[in-house]
Amino acid sequence: MADADDVRRLALTLPGVEEMASNGFDFRVGNKGFVWSWPERRPGQRRVIRTDIAVLYVGDEAEKQALVLGEPERFFTTPAYDGAPLVMLRLEQVDTDRLAELVTDAWRMRAPAELLDD
């Protein structure tokens, strides 16, 4: 079972990563977000920063749908993210090895070319 501390630890091991000031976690590379806490929005209420759920950049709609449909216990989306290559991940549903893979993949898709290994 992973948590926000695992996200932070994993993200900060990657080259060029900056942590943005946040009530949860928010990581960027090359000024592009790749993993952050989910800002849950409920009608008529203030948004709540959920550190038990990570928003991950996944690259495209096909990957997003594959994750959401293939592993609905782990991944989901909301109408606010329609058309965006982002999924929400329930951190308690993944181990740290899988989380490392997901965070690294998100970083790789957003990192400038000079940070990537050839």
Side-chain angles (χ1 to χ4, degrees), residues 26-91:
D26 184 351
F27 296 97
R28 299 173 190 234
V29 61
N31 208 31
K32 296 177 183 176
F34 67 98
V35 62
W36 58 91
S37 303
W38 181 39
E40 183 179 21
R41 293 172 179 88
R42 294 183 182 167
Q45 297 180 17
R46 295 179 68 171
R47 74 180 186 160
V48 175
I49 303 299
R50 299 275 306 267
T51 59
D52 61 322
I53 298 174
V55 179
L56 287 161
Y57 184 84
V58 293
D60 62 32
E61 188 67 21
E63 179 67 17
K64 175 180 180 172
Q65 291 305 315
L67 291 168
V68 170
L69 296 173
E71 300 179 72
E73 71 283 359
R74 291 185 179 92
F75 299 97
F76 68 99
T77 189
T78 67
Y81 289 93
D82 284 352
L86 304 167
V87 295
M88 278 65 79
L89 168 65
R90 294 175 183 93
L91 292 173

